[in-house]
Amino acid sequence: MNHDAYSDAYIRDILARSRTIAMVGASPNPSRPSYFAMKYLKQKGFHVIPVNPGQAGKEILDEKVYASLGDIGQQIDIV
């Protein structure tokens, strides 16, 4: 497989089989791209878990923020 470029069909298949995404670097700031990406994914039905050590214990878009991936404690399909 060429890891420099993935086909749309390959990406579509991954997204169709995945529901839980851990977003490392998620920001509570609405002007940051990670905030928009998280909001968009949630609107499309994905469960997005924000990971940001500086915001751990708080919430971003009604989701608890974790300090690290190891703190999450549930299955993650995509990071």
Side-chain angles (χ1 to χ4, degrees):
M1 169 166 289
N2 176 5
H3 294 288
D4 293 328
Y6 298 111
S7 70
D8 288 345
Y10 179 72
I11 294 170
R12 191 177 306 111
D13 182 56
I14 291 171
L15 292 174
R17 292 182 288 118
S18 305
R19 299 311 322 153
T20 303
I21 300 171
M23 181 172 285
V24 177
S27 174
N29 184 340
S31 66
R32 300 295 304 260
S34 63
Y35 184 91
F36 287 114
M38 183 174 168
K39 184 176 179 179
Y40 176 83
L41 290 167
K42 285 179 57 85
Q43 289 173 340
K44 295 298 179 182
F46 291 94
H47 176 212
V48 184
I49 302 169
V51 179
N52 182 328
Q55 298 294 318
K58 299 178 183 176
E59 290 190 354
I60 298 175
L61 294 170
D62 299 322
E63 298 289 343
K64 180 181 174 185
V65 181
Y66 292 88
S68 71
L69 293 172
D71 294 338
I72 293 175
Q74 65 179 284
Q75 181 177 333
I76 301 166
D77 300 318
I78 299 172
V79 176

